[in-house]
Amino acid sequence: MSYAAYKMMHWPTGIENCASGFVTHSRADSSPQIPPIQTDDLESEWPAERQTGPLPNLIVTAANILEVYVVRVQEEDFRESKVTAETKRGGVMAGISGASLELVCQYRLHGNVETMTVLPSGSGDNSRRRDSIILAFQDAKISVLEFDDSIHGLRTSSMHCFEGPEWFHLKRGHESFARGPIVKVDPQGRCSGVLVYGLQMIILKASQAGYGLVGDEDALGSGSAVSARVESSYIINLRDLDMKHVKDFTFAHGYIEPVMVILHERELTWAGRVSWKHHTCMISALSISTTLKQHPLIWSAVNLPHDAYKLLPVPSPIGGVVVIGANSIHYHSQSASFALALNNYAVSFDNSQEMSRSSFSVELDAANAIWLSNDVAMLSTKTGELLLLTLVYDGRVVHRLDLSKSRASVLTSGIAAIGNAFFFLGSRLGDSLLVQFTSILSSSVKEEIGDIEGDVPSAKRLRKSSSDALQDMVNGEELSLYGSAPNSTETSQKTFTFSVRDSFINVGPLKDFAYGLRINADPKATGVAKQSNYELVCCSGHGKNGALCILQQSIRPEMITEVELPGCKGIWTVYHKNTRGHNVDSTKMAAKDDEYHAYLIISLESRTMVLETADLLGEVTESVDYYVQGCTISAGNLFGRRRVVQVYARGARILDGAFMTQDLPISESSSVLSVSIADPYVLLRMSDGNIQLLVGDPSTCTVSINIPAVFESSTKSISACTLYHDKGPEPWLRKTSTDAWLSTGIDEAIDGSDGAAHDQGDIYCVVCYESGGLEIFDVPNFNCVFSVDKFMSGKAHLVDTLITEPSEDTQKVMSQNSEEVAGQGRKENTHNIKVVELAMQRWSGQHSRPFLFGILTDGTILCYHAYLYEGPENTSKTEEAVSAQDSLRTSNVSASHLRNLRFVRVPLDTYTREEALSGTTSSRMTVFKNVGGCQGLFLSGSRPLWFMVFRERIRVHPQLCDGSIVAFTVLHNINCNHGFIYVTSQGFLKICQLPSGSSYDNYWPVQKIALKGTPHQVTYFAEKNLYPLIVSVPVLKPLNHVLSSLVDQEAGHQIENDSVGSDELHRSYSVDEFEVRILEPEKSGAPWQTRATIPMQSAENALTVRVVTLFNITTKENETLLAIGTAYVQGEDVAARGRVLLFSVEKNTDDSQNLVSEIYSKELKGAISALASLQGHLLIASGPKIILHKWTGTELNGVAFFDAPPLYVVSLNIVKNFILLGDIHKSIYFLSWKEQGAQLNLLAKDFGSLDCFATEFLIDGSTLSLIVSDDQKNIQIFYYAPKMSESWKGQKLLSRAEFHVGAHVTKFLRLQMLPASSDRTSATQGSDKTNRFALLFGTLDGSFGCIAPLDELTFRRLQSLQKKLIDAVPHVAGLNPRSFRQFRSNGKAHRPGPDNIVDCELLCHFEMLPFEDQHEIAQQIGTTRVQILSNLNDLSLGTSFL
């Protein structure tokens, strides 16, 4: 393998930074505001004036993912039925019955975000200005982003880079730095500080309100909103101010000029010296004058403890800062100071005066904090507890600090307060939570809170979320909401009540994973379908957030029944509302969603079958009046489900249940090709390229044919069309019309004349022409309200053609010129691509916006999301000019246009294209409103896809298990609750449900199983379908027990107890206890069963567990055993030892006691950190030795050893008789085992020093390569070539490729690649292609990716495309993808290796480019668009492993 592709398959989920700010709307925008609650029964408890006020956005980053969310709040509605109120998570609190996060935009950056903050616009509560996002990237890159309404996304407003030759002097000769840049911002938004290279402070001066960088015309162009901008920057060298080691800095509140407070250490100290040198930190406050570039020191405080690490600025009116240390908290301001000891390790500076102590003992290292009100801060500790820190103050003088315990929650990586009612707990180790809080004075209501909290049954709440963090939050014993008020006189002690409103699933940090069979695997599956038999079982999380994540890339439905049914063309289920008397009440009672389907209509090649769907599916074809002599084109409900409409090739029938009420011949000359139904209209696309509309009359329940006048006269033939029903609490598209009040009036008048109900919403018709244009008409008048040229070219934004912006004009002219130059050869390609199917849908949700889908003939799926953009007023003149030139358009056209409607293109990553066959006309898209609680769209075809909509984001999940699917429909009846039916191309009709245990709001469907401990390693025991798993659980032990385990038993030393005081001996200390659990997978949704547990001895850590196959030399048989390697961790005074344990796993599964039995254990010197079986022998890495053992059935005997200088082996891989081992510090070794002389030989090694994380063999045909990942987030591929001179006669491994992944890769898994479509044709060179393996890897960020080998031709093509795309695509935040992927050596000597890996994260931008650009770039690199797309397609086909 000389060439490879790097491809992400599951993006990071561990949230590292979170912040809140008014990014997509300003404080004055009233949209997210909540009216005060006017209800009498709550009036007494809740102050009526409390409003949640305008809510800011939430911005989160996970590695290189940046996401912006908006908080959507559901107010409590007393008219609402109790049913709906209960389902929302968290009950009713402060008049809010629910809140959720909705995605505004998401970006994948070419660089990991180190720190992030929001630059506030710094003006009052009703200001129109918005905040901006400041991102800092590794070394010293800073980008400032603002939200641009016109593109509904972020754009870069300024970039600041302090790297490269002209800034070398900032590094002062250092190569590596302990941490990346840190960004903090002045609370009033006047400036921002970035600490880079340890001691260089960059001050970014914000521009004052009123003018931006570019001047006024820019402010006009972006609508009325102006965001905060950065005007200029300069550098302060903190070394000149006599600072040596800066730990943290922040900006203080309440000063006229920005004041920066810096926490720094004058001289470093260390653990052995703490008893002499302990108060080494100090804080200095500098007044920053950005105009004079001066920074005088205004106050400072010395003698802070050495473990102080964080500053928390206290909001006005108090001011000052809180310094957080591991053992104490200090408050300092210009006039006052106060300290609070948290545990017995806290000492005052000179040991004389007594410090005031908190009422309980806690350690605060690695804590995060946020202010809930101006005098109460919430701290989140390293164990996941939430503490409240109250400042007791008088005026601006703080008298004392009170610390009280609150609730337990997730282990956080950051907290952000969202407005004054919510906060977000971002977590890298567990699921992140959105929590609503409200404060009460504890004297007034005590018992009230319990009711509000317990309003929802806790079982229901737990079921809503798989997150164990939530279970912690609702566990009884952790619900102590009240702060401990020490003196009873103080009635104003604030207490807070919390309610979890939303959560994000996180599958990271992935320490290890195993690849095993699913419970419902199909043993007969072959090819691609076979891949969906497998799943990944991952160790993720830490401590009490530890969990087992079961990930599946493709959905495998749970089958209820299956019937053979050859020749099926389509299936539909319809409702039938009985209008007879006795049934009326019951239908009203049942919600509309819960109504059962009445009939299933199956269209075969030459006839139609009708089945009843009541209890059993019984055929009633003979006894109903449906058209059954030929195939059906479509069927659906009209008139509020009172009638069924069935459309066949030459006509339509209206039925009331089983009886026909109307038969309507449609056309003699042409037949119906496609149908779209939106009550009370049916839209038909005819084979002659025309459109017919069936208009229903609800009063008589009849329909009549109407051919829209617009299309009668037109000559343009139509390639696809659909109806869109704009339902919902308020029709969304109406808002996009310029004169909203006018249009609503007109629309209602139209509705009234039809006799339709007013709340039905509006209906629109979306039409795509053969020429590629797209138009939206209102129905039934067919006025054009929106039109776009060249829809099929896939532009990033769709804007109504009436609105011509000057900037776009010039671009259009340029692109036309380039097209003319390019000549005919290219034109032919674009002409035959047209839109074959359209769908437009708005799913339920208060603020949901419609999606528009289009499928092109080459299989491309275009997905657009509508948004509202109220442009500046100056566009009207151009519109008048346009309409004047255009004689066809009448003068009132521009008035009814939805001129504020725009669409933004949504990237769809995981789908694979398939060419549309010319003969097929059946529609592939089926919209579903509720399948197993999910909503979205199903795409049938050779690789079916589920598009599911969660929080206004589309999640794409493939379904591979049945191959090609020809028809799909939903089914809801007694036996199949919110399930679905589909027909495979082999002719099987299957009735299924979605697997219930999985959560689909993730890149892959995931099921989380809480372990309440840290998982370390997992392996798969294939014969018995079991998963052995190492788990460690923290246990509190008395200190004297812990100390006695640190004694070397052999030497018999006694520990000197005099140094430890007697009171300290009885204190408890937390120790991790290890065990190996053997888990058995359960049917979906159920928690997995622990079948057996193997406990370790005290102070013994299990390091590795593996399933090994050993050759028993006495019985001459292979045995499959479970091998465990352990180490005793007893401190630095005791020589390291470890044990190797062998267990046999019994056949009988009922008796769990004898499931595993120990058959051998042996103690060895050194920690046993890796095990593997090599040709029937057991290879053990024990400390610095690698020993090969043979198995006699009763004991292990060493046969060969290798004494390399490895310090600690982190991974062992074996292929045939080759061994690859990775060392914690000494890079990789490549060994071979020879049976004849029984020797382990070193073939070659890497001479560099490298801290390995994971290693594996990469196999491509007959080529063997070695891959290794390291602590700097790189991967390298090496090869062994003894014939080449630079390998020093084969001693040295040569580099084949190197690449920066940007995440710590902890495990590689070698999987055989699937044959791609292009390979099947050339069967001659098959042998080389079949033996081709890719490596699936998991990272600590919660992401998965793969490294797949490429042949040289494909590699060269994609590499030249990659070079083009670096310049052709505008990258978010101005990051350069090439510099991101450069090998990072962090100051160590490193010879750069070849650049032989292409980056699919960059190549995926190609599919998002407009058609014309794709052709142009392909032409520039001498290939075609089709060729590039088929290469990318083959790659994703070959690596669809799960």
Side-chain angles (χ1 to χ4, degrees):
M1 192 259 10
S2 307
Y3 308 102
Y6 158 85
K7 182 176 188 326
M8 286 306 283
M9 301 164 83
H10 180 290
W11 285 268
T13 54
I15 291 177
E16 287 161 9
N17 300 297
C18 54
S20 67
F22 290 89
V23 177
T24 63
H25 52 272
S26 62
R27 279 178 178 76
D29 292 350
S30 55
S31 48
Q33 210 149 10
I34 297 174
I37 313 124
Q38 285 118 10
T39 54
D40 308 326
D41 50 344
L42 280 181
E43 204 61 33
S44 51
E45 282 87 33
W46 305 112
E49 71 277 47
R50 175 182 169 86
Q51 284 191 11
T52 39
L55 283 176
N57 296 91
L58 170 70
I59 305 105
V60 300
T61 71
N64 63 332
I65 305 275
L66 171 70
E67 294 175 329
V68 180
Y69 289 91
V70 59
V71 181
R72 296 293 189 200
V73 172
Q74 289 91 38
E75 292 106 80
E76 181 183 10
D77 188 354
F78 289 97
R79 293 159 304 178
E80 235 177 42
S81 64
K82 270 283 167 258
V83 187
T84 52
E86 257 194 30
T87 53
K88 290 173 188 149
R89 183 195 285 180
V92 179
M93 174 197 284
I96 293 175
S97 63
S100 58
L101 291 164
E102 181 186 293
L103 184 75
V104 179
C105 53
Q106 180 208 31
Y107 294 100
R108 305 212 294 266
L109 311 176
H110 297 289
N112 288 355
V113 179
E114 291 290 318
T115 50
M116 167 184 69
T117 187
V118 168
L119 178 66
S121 54
S123 21
D125 262 356
N126 43 13
S127 108
R128 311 261 351 140
R129 297 187 68 201
R130 298 181 180 177
D131 307 341
S132 296
I133 305 171
I134 305 181
L135 302 175
F137 299 93
Q138 195 55 278
D139 281 2
K141 288 190 271 288
I142 303 142
S143 292
V144 186
L145 304 176
E146 61 184 48
F147 188 78
D148 184 353
D149 286 319
S150 62
I151 58 169
H152 199 72
L154 298 174
R155 64 162 184 210
T156 313
S157 71
S158 65
M159 289 150 52
H160 313 267
C161 180
F162 297 90
E163 297 173 16
E166 67 271 39
W167 299 106
F168 269 162
H169 63 277
L170 295 182
K171 290 189 175 186
R172 307 283 305 218
H174 288 266
E175 281 292 336
S176 67
F177 297 91
R179 53 185 175 184
I182 303 171
V183 189
K184 295 285 167 72
V185 68
D186 171 52
Q188 292 177 36
R190 294 164 295 192
C191 71
S192 165
V194 189
L195 182 69
V196 298
Y197 302 132
L199 280 171
Q200 306 290 339
M201 180 66 69
I202 298 162
I203 302 289
L204 304 176
K205 181 186 176 187
S207 57
Q208 296 307 309
Y211 58 92
L213 273 176
V214 199
D216 293 300
E217 75 280 304
D218 189 64
L220 276 176
S222 63
S224 55
V226 183
S227 301
R229 302 249 171 109
V230 170
E231 183 184 276
S232 59
S233 64
Y234 65 95
I235 297 179
I236 304 174
N237 183 354
L238 297 181
R239 196 180 267 99
D240 300 346
L241 302 176
D242 212 25
M243 296 185 192
K244 296 193 181 72
H245 311 282
V246 175
K247 291 184 146 193
D248 194 19
F249 74 100
T250 187
F251 285 89
H253 290 257
Y255 285 88
I256 296 170
E257 291 228 299
V259 169
M260 178 190 285
V261 184
I262 301 177
L263 171 68
H264 54 106
E265 199 163 2
R266 288 167 300 179
E267 304 172 53
L268 295 179
T269 181
W270 62 95
R273 196 164 163 69
V274 162
S275 48
W276 292 277
K277 196 182 200 178
H278 41 74
H279 281 61
T280 52
C281 290
M282 65 176 288
I283 52 176
S284 308
L286 312 176
S287 173
I288 306 287
S289 165
T290 50
T291 43
L292 303 172
K293 299 193 179 179
Q294 288 177 351
H295 35 271
L297 178 73
I298 53 175
W299 57 271
S300 65
V302 293
N303 297 336
L304 286 164
H306 70 280
D307 54 16
Y309 66 95
K310 197 188 206 64
L311 291 175
L312 193 60
V314 183
S316 305
I318 307 172
V321 292
V322 171
V323 185
I324 301 175
N327 306 311
S328 56
I329 298 179
H330 300 255
Y331 169 79
H332 281 279
S333 71
Q334 209 157 343
S335 52
S337 67
F338 187 82
L340 179 70
L342 303 171
N343 53 41
N344 296 346
Y345 299 113
V347 287
S348 61
F349 171 55
D350 48 5
N351 286 340
S352 58
Q353 74 260 46
E354 189 57 38
M355 296 172 76
S356 60
R357 302 197 167 271
S358 72
S359 54
F360 55 94
S361 174
V362 65
E363 291 171 14
L364 267 194
D365 47 328
N368 288 299
I370 196 75
W371 291 95
L372 298 186
S373 68
N374 64 348
D375 58 345
V376 181
M378 186 181 70
L379 303 164
S380 151
T381 68
K382 59 182 177 184
T383 57
E385 282 185 291
L386 298 182
L387 309 177
L388 295 178
L389 174 71
T390 310
L391 274 61
V392 183
Y393 69 102
D394 179 14
R396 290 187 64 168
V397 181
V398 172
H399 294 307
R400 67 164 200 278
L401 307 173
D402 273 343
L403 194 65
S404 58
K405 285 193 178 185
S406 181
R407 301 271 288 283
S409 89
V410 63
L411 306 175
T412 59
S413 59
I415 313 182
I418 306 174
N420 55 9
F422 295 92
F423 59 83
F424 178 77
L425 301 170
S427 174
R428 198 184 139 87
L429 301 173
D431 293 358
S432 302
L433 310 176
L434 174 72
V435 183
Q436 183 191 352
F437 68 91
T438 165
S439 64
I440 336 109
L441 295 181
S442 57
S443 53
S444 55
V445 275
K446 273 256 163 161
E447 51 296 308
E448 232 4 81
I449 310 162
D451 300 349
I452 293 165
E453 186 58 31
D455 167 317
V456 176
S458 63
K460 195 156 211 162
R461 214 174 323 170
L462 295 185
R463 203 190 63 229
K464 290 281 286 182
S465 147
S466 61
S467 156
D468 47 333
L470 285 182
Q471 296 174 16
D472 269 354
M473 284 203 114
V474 291
N475 272 353
E477 74 270 16
E478 289 185 326
L479 266 171
S480 52
L481 295 173
Y482 313 107
S484 50
N487 44 355
S488 53
T489 56
E490 181 193 340
T491 53
S492 61
Q493 170 88 25
K494 275 192 182 155
T495 50
F496 287 86
T497 146
F498 301 107
S499 169
V500 177
R501 292 301 189 187
D502 202 351
S503 64
F504 288 156
I505 287 192
N506 171 20
V507 298
L510 291 159
K511 300 197 184 72
D512 190 26
F513 59 87
Y515 182 73
L517 276 177
R518 299 189 192 181
I519 278 291
N520 55 357
D522 172 18
K524 299 193 288 292
T526 53
V528 178
K530 187 176 176 185
Q531 297 307 311
S532 74
N533 279 345
Y534 295 96
E535 62 190 5
L536 287 182
V537 176
C538 316
C539 296
S540 71
H542 178 84
K544 67 174 186 188
N545 294 131
L548 213 55
C549 287
I550 293 97
L551 285 156
Q552 310 166 343
Q553 196 178 354
S554 60
I555 290 178
R556 190 178 187 90
E558 293 179 349
M559 198 166 67
I560 298 175
T561 47
E562 111 178 283
V563 196
E564 193 160 357
L565 187 76
C568 175
K569 293 281 179 232
I571 46 178
W572 298 271
T573 43
V574 291
Y575 298 98
H576 172 229
K577 269 210 174 113
N578 243 332
T579 44
R580 297 180 192 80
H582 65 269
N583 237 12
V584 174
D585 307 331
S586 60
T587 50
K588 280 212 180 93
M589 292 289 290
K592 193 172 169 192
D593 282 351
D594 277 348
E595 189 184 339
Y596 288 157
H597 286 106
Y599 293 102
L600 166 66
I601 300 158
I602 302 176
S603 166
L604 303 173
E605 275 159 7
S606 58
R607 65 192 185 93
T608 293
M609 284 168 65
V610 183
L611 284 78
E612 259 185 335
T613 58
D615 298 343
L616 303 164
L617 293 181
E619 186 171 347
V620 291
T621 312
E622 304 304 318
S623 58
V624 292
D625 293 346
Y626 282 84
Y627 170 79
V628 293
Q629 294 80 27
C631 64
T632 302
I633 307 292
S634 179
N637 284 91
L638 286 184
F639 312 123
R641 298 186 177 172
R642 283 176 300 170
R643 294 287 185 274
V644 175
V645 57
Q646 178 197 18
V647 180
Y648 48 96
R650 305 263 177 220
R653 282 188 187 189
I654 305 293
L655 300 105
D656 180 357
F659 309 105
M660 176 167 75
T661 58
Q662 186 183 3
D663 191 4
L664 194 71
I666 289 176
S667 154
E668 293 302 316
S669 55
S670 60
S671 56
V672 179
L673 286 182
S674 73
V675 180
S676 173
I677 301 174
D679 190 8
Y681 300 103
V682 182
L683 181 72
L684 313 174
R685 183 168 68 86
M686 310 304 288
S687 53
D688 58 3
N690 240 337
I691 277 188
Q692 300 201 7
L693 184 72
L694 306 185
V695 183
D697 178 356
S699 53
T700 61
C701 288
T702 54
V703 295
S704 53
I705 297 184
N706 168 16
I707 299 180
V710 187
F711 300 120
E712 270 186 312
S713 54
S714 90
T715 52
K716 298 193 281 187
S717 69
I718 289 167
S719 67
C721 60
T722 184
L723 287 178
Y724 165 58
H725 194 167
D726 200 17
K727 282 208 274 284
E730 40 185 60
W732 188 85
L733 279 181
R734 276 186 204 176
K735 300 181 197 167
T736 63
S737 173
T738 32
D739 14 55
W741 56 273
L742 190 76
S743 61
T744 41
I746 294 173
D747 282 343
E748 275 170 10
I750 294 169
D751 281 353
S753 65
D754 277 355
H758 281 295
D759 60 359
Q760 283 298 300
D762 313 328
I763 296 184
Y764 296 89
C765 169
V766 188
V767 173
C768 224
Y769 298 104
E770 299 266 351
S771 60
L774 173 122
E775 294 193 345
I776 301 181
F777 299 89
D778 61 352
V779 177
N781 302 341
F782 279 91
N783 294 330
C784 174
V785 291
F786 183 85
S787 71
V788 175
D789 302 332
K790 293 225 179 95
F791 168 70
M792 88 280 163
S793 77
K795 294 192 278 277
H797 296 89
L798 302 182
V799 184
D800 194 344
T801 42
L802 274 190
I803 300 174
T804 45
E805 294 180 2
S807 58
E808 289 184 10
D809 257 4
T810 50
Q811 287 172 3
K812 276 185 193 148
V813 173
M814 284 166 59
S815 60
Q816 280 167 357
N817 293 349
S818 62
E819 273 178 36
E820 286 158 19
V821 175
Q824 286 318 106
R826 203 172 103 214
K827 281 244 168 85
E828 289 163 15
N829 284 345
T830 47
H831 273 314
N832 54 18
I833 288 187
K834 57 177 195 278
V835 179
V836 289
E837 193 180 345
L838 277 174
M840 186 166 172
Q841 179 68 26
R842 174 170 164 231
W843 281 277
S844 65
Q846 201 178 354
H847 300 275
S848 60
R849 312 190 308 277
F851 284 94
L852 173 64
F853 293 87
I855 304 182
L856 307 186
T857 37
D858 69 340
T860 308
I861 302 169
L862 301 177
C863 170
Y864 285 93
H865 200 176
Y867 65 96
L868 181 85
Y869 170 62
E870 296 182 10
E873 299 308 305
N874 55 7
T875 49
S876 52
K877 292 193 179 101
T878 53
E879 280 176 19
E880 283 164 23
V882 169
S883 49
Q885 295 165 4
D886 218 330
S887 54
L888 288 176
R889 291 186 177 145
T890 48
S891 56
N892 68 343
V893 167
S894 66
S896 65
H897 252 260
L898 305 174
R899 76 179 76 168
N900 291 340
L901 172 66
R902 293 193 176 189
F903 291 90
V904 59
R905 185 156 169 208
V906 182
L908 302 173
D909 285 304
T910 40
Y911 79 95
T912 322
R913 300 156 185 277
E914 45 186 274
E915 298 273 335
L917 304 170
S918 51
T920 59
T921 55
S922 66
S923 62
R924 290 176 53 196
M925 290 191 271
T926 314
V927 170
F928 57 87
K929 299 280 194 341
N930 184 350
V931 170
C934 302
Q935 48 181 13
L937 179 141
F938 183 84
L939 181 76
S940 53
S942 62
R943 293 179 67 85
L945 295 172
W946 292 85
F947 292 89
M948 297 187 181
V949 180
F950 296 97
R951 33 179 132 252
E952 289 296 281
R953 137 192 271 175
I954 290 208
R955 299 287 198 182
V956 185
H957 300 305
Q959 176 179 322
L960 310 174
C961 55
D962 293 291
S964 172
I965 289 180
V966 290
F968 172 95
T969 186
V970 291
L971 173 67
H972 178 47
N973 70 5
I974 292 183
N975 303 321
C976 176
N977 187 21
H978 292 300
F980 52 95
I981 309 181
Y982 59 87
V983 182
T984 66
S985 55
Q986 279 87 38
F988 287 96
L989 178 139
K990 301 192 177 188
I991 301 182
C992 303
Q993 282 177 311
L994 274 184
S996 53
S998 297
S999 164
Y1000 298 97
D1001 184 15
N1002 187 34
Y1003 300 105
W1004 292 354
V1006 59
Q1007 180 188 350
K1008 277 188 97 161
I1009 296 162
L1011 295 170
K1012 297 288 184 215
T1014 307
H1016 295 275
Q1017 207 177 49
V1018 64
T1019 185
Y1020 180 54
F1021 203 120
E1023 290 179 17
K1024 316 273 191 315
N1025 198 25
L1026 299 172
Y1027 289 94
L1029 165 78
I1030 299 177
V1031 182
S1032 69
V1033 181
V1035 178
L1036 286 175
K1037 288 190 165 181
L1039 196 58
N1040 44 8
H1041 285 198
V1042 178
L1043 289 175
S1044 63
S1045 72
L1046 300 182
V1047 181
D1048 196 338
Q1049 272 87 10
E1050 295 165 18
H1053 289 306
Q1054 272 309 308
I1055 194 148
E1056 299 84 12
N1057 268 346
D1058 53 347
S1059 61
V1060 184
S1062 58
D1063 58 331
E1064 294 190 356
L1065 276 179
H1066 301 295
R1067 261 201 255 141
S1068 56
Y1069 185 78
S1070 163
V1071 184
D1072 277 343
E1073 290 205 338
F1074 281 76
E1075 61 189 24
V1076 175
R1077 294 183 196 170
I1078 301 201
L1079 295 167
E1080 183 174 36
E1082 288 291 313
K1083 289 278 181 283
S1084 85
W1088 288 17
Q1089 296 301 314
T1090 305
R1091 297 299 309 276
T1093 304
I1094 306 169
M1096 296 294 124
Q1097 298 173 2
S1098 73
E1100 183 183 30
N1101 289 12
L1103 298 179
T1104 179
V1105 57
R1106 288 288 176 249
V1107 174
V1108 293
T1109 305
L1110 301 185
F1111 181 71
N1112 186 332
I1113 56 175
T1114 37
T1115 63
K1116 300 277 186 270
E1117 285 176 354
N1118 281 333
E1119 297 181 16
T1120 306
L1121 303 172
L1122 185 66
I1124 302 173
T1126 74
Y1128 290 99
V1129 179
Q1130 295 173 305
E1132 56 188 13
D1133 300 328
V1134 184
R1137 296 171 299 132
R1139 288 196 303 162
V1140 58
L1141 306 166
L1142 291 180
F1143 289 84
S1144 68
V1145 181
E1146 295 308 319
K1147 287 273 185 277
N1148 60 338
T1149 48
D1150 358 301
D1151 186 12
S1152 64
Q1153 291 305 313
N1154 328 354
L1155 179 69
V1156 290
S1157 50
E1158 181 178 323
I1159 53 174
Y1160 180 74
S1161 87
K1162 177 184 183 180
E1163 195 169 290
L1164 295 167
K1165 283 184 183 168
I1168 295 175
S1169 56
L1171 299 161
S1173 54
L1174 168 62
Q1175 298 184 340
H1177 297 39
L1178 183 63
L1179 187 64
I1180 297 176
S1182 79
K1185 269 197 176 62
I1186 291 107
I1187 314 170
L1188 191 67
H1189 294 77
K1190 63 173 190 259
W1191 172 239
T1192 64
T1194 52
E1195 61 177 35
L1196 290 171
N1197 295 331
V1199 287
F1201 71 93
F1202 171 65
D1203 259 348
L1207 302 170
Y1208 178 91
V1209 176
V1210 286
S1211 69
L1212 263 183
N1213 308 99
I1214 290 177
V1215 163
K1216 293 183 177 166
N1217 62 333
F1218 294 114
I1219 304 161
L1220 168 63
L1221 66 94
D1223 185 76
I1224 189 93
H1225 206 59
K1226 297 273 185 191
S1227 199
I1228 57 174
Y1229 293 81
F1230 184 42
L1231 313 171
S1232 76
W1233 153 247
K1234 288 207 178 74
E1235 188 81 61
Q1236 301 91 345
Q1239 55 190 164
L1240 286 170
N1241 292 332
L1242 176 66
L1243 295 175
K1245 64 176 186 174
D1246 170 27
F1247 279 70
S1249 77
L1250 194 69
D1251 299 356
C1252 298
F1253 265 49
T1255 58
E1256 186 53 273
F1257 287 102
L1258 188 53
I1259 299 173
D1260 180 17
S1262 54
T1263 324
L1264 188 69
S1265 310
L1266 322 171
I1267 191 162
V1268 56
S1269 68
D1270 63 39
D1271 68 323
Q1272 294 299 314
K1273 308 185 179 182
N1274 307 304
I1275 53 172
Q1276 291 181 75
I1277 302 179
F1278 291 99
Y1279 66 110
Y1280 173 58
K1283 304 253 171 37
M1284 295 184 63
S1285 58
E1286 58 262 46
S1287 74
W1288 301 350
K1289 296 188 179 169
Q1291 294 176 58
K1292 185 179 179 188
L1293 289 169
L1294 300 179
S1295 172
R1296 236 196 243 290
E1298 59 183 27
F1299 190 81
H1300 182 72
V1301 175
H1304 287 123
V1305 175
T1306 50
K1307 165 88 183 254
F1308 289 108
L1309 176 73
R1310 189 172 67 244
L1311 295 172
Q1312 186 153 7
M1313 284 181 75
L1314 307 169
S1317 47
S1318 57
D1319 299 343
R1320 294 193 194 109
T1321 49
S1322 54
T1324 47
Q1325 29 153 312
S1327 61
D1328 200 42
K1329 289 279 171 73
T1330 49
N1331 192 26
R1332 170 172 273 192
F1333 289 80
L1335 295 181
L1336 183 71
F1337 62 79
T1339 73
L1340 290 182
D1341 293 329
S1343 57
F1344 283 94
C1346 70
I1347 304 284
L1350 290 178
D1351 51 86
E1352 183 168 3
L1353 186 67
T1354 311
F1355 169 76
R1356 296 278 176 229
R1357 183 180 296 126
L1358 294 180
Q1359 192 187 35
S1360 39
L1361 171 64
Q1362 178 175 305
K1363 287 176 178 160
K1364 279 276 176 230
L1365 287 176
I1366 289 175
D1367 301 328
V1369 179
H1371 300 293
V1372 185
L1375 293 161
N1376 185 342
R1378 200 158 144 239
S1379 75
F1380 179 42
R1381 296 306 182 188
Q1382 300 262 272
F1383 186 90
R1384 308 267 164 96
S1385 61
N1386 197 23
K1388 291 182 186 164
H1390 173 77
R1391 280 189 62 192
D1395 178 20
N1396 284 345
I1397 298 185
V1398 291
D1399 176 14
C1400 291
E1401 281 292 271
L1402 176 56
L1403 295 177
C1404 70
H1405 286 294
F1406 181 75
E1407 301 185 32
M1408 287 296 292
L1409 288 173
F1411 245 54
E1412 296 76 24
D1413 299 5
Q1414 289 183 355
H1415 280 296
E1416 195 159 327
I1417 290 180
Q1419 200 182 24
Q1420 286 171 359
I1421 60 175
T1423 176
T1424 62
R1425 167 182 179 274
V1426 179
Q1427 181 66 60
I1428 291 171
L1429 290 177
S1430 95
N1431 284 155
L1432 294 173
N1433 214 9
D1434 287 351
L1435 189 62
S1436 63
L1437 266 172
T1439 55
S1440 50
F1441 298 120
L1442 294 163

